[in-house]
Amino acid sequence: DEQNAAILLMRAGEEIRDQFGKDWLEYDNIKWGSSMTAAEIAKAQPFRQREAATLALVRQARARPLIDWRIRYTFPSDNMPLNRLNLVKDLTYHLKNAALYAHSTGDDVAAIQFLRDALFISKSLDQDVATLFQPMIATTSIVTACQGVESIAPTLVTPDAATAADAQKLLADLLDE
């Protein structure tokens, strides 16, 4: 468990579900984008503060060497615990929005890292495939991350070598997909 990234990703997905269950519509109605207005940023800020510690779990998961979703094929297949995978898919949506928020507030370093986190989720879903649904969920995750990249790329600022290197790593992550 100490080496398994999927454990942290599932925990983060569950925390997002628990944090946003009743507030989901309000969160989803925010106009997330690469150039959010001051009013949109103010509306999004409480949500970003609430999910910050949870999204940090994804960053920790990126450092773990193993992926085991602990989903074993069973018959009938409706006994399989696939709801975990949907929670992780929702996590990529929050990571994309975190990236858009960070970019809108001038923190492109954080925006790049949030998008790399989202791409990591997609890759992790493709590594330990136990069901036909995992590749579909991985594809949804990569599309979500690519939408974030597409949104911030035109106005992404890389003021120093470290930020430029992070942007190149993001591109490398995309090319691996």
Side-chain angles (χ1 to χ4, degrees):
D1 285 357
E2 295 293 321
Q3 300 297 311
N4 188 359
I7 300 292
L8 283 178
L9 295 175
M10 287 184 287
R11 190 169 105 207
E14 290 167 357
E15 287 182 18
I16 287 291
R17 177 202 57 211
D18 294 344
Q19 291 174 11
F20 289 91
K22 62 182 179 182
D23 297 331
W24 181 254
L25 286 177
E26 187 179 345
Y27 177 87
D28 204 37
N29 284 330
I30 295 172
K31 290 185 171 86
W32 299 97
S34 62
S35 56
M36 296 170 70
T37 66
E40 291 163 340
I41 289 170
K43 188 175 177 183
Q45 187 176 16
F47 289 106
R48 284 292 305 120
Q49 289 172 340
R50 193 175 354 162
E51 70 188 5
T54 301
L55 296 183
L57 293 173
V58 181
R59 192 77 38 86
Q60 292 172 27
R62 273 179 34 196
R64 292 192 174 183
L66 302 174
I67 302 288
D68 181 1
W69 291 101
R70 298 190 175 161
I71 297 173
R72 304 297 175 253
Y73 186 79
T74 60
F75 186 80
S77 61
D78 56 342
N79 291 334
M80 295 174 66
L82 299 177
N83 61 330
R84 296 184 218 164
L85 300 178
N86 277 330
L87 294 175
V88 173
K89 175 185 62 75
D90 292 344
L91 191 55
T92 61
Y93 178 72
H94 282 262
L95 288 162
K96 178 194 80 168
N97 290 343
L100 297 172
Y101 177 87
H103 179 70
S104 291
T105 58
D107 190 354
D108 284 341
V109 173
I112 290 167
Q113 292 305 317
F114 285 129
L115 292 171
R116 291 191 71 209
D117 293 341
L119 290 170
F120 173 78
I121 289 172
S122 174
K123 288 179 185 180
S124 69
L125 287 164
D126 272 343
Q127 284 182 19
D128 181 39
V129 178
T131 74
L132 294 174
F133 300 105
Q134 275 175 266
M136 291 187 299
I137 295 170
T139 299
T140 301
S141 295
I142 188 77
V143 167
T144 300
C146 287
Q147 288 170 340
V149 171
E150 183 180 30
S151 292
I152 72 167
T155 54
L156 184 70
V157 176
T158 54
D160 54 42
T163 307
D166 282 345
Q168 289 174 339
K169 288 177 187 174
L170 174 61
L171 292 175
D173 291 345
L174 282 168
L175 293 174
D176 284 343
E177 296 294 327

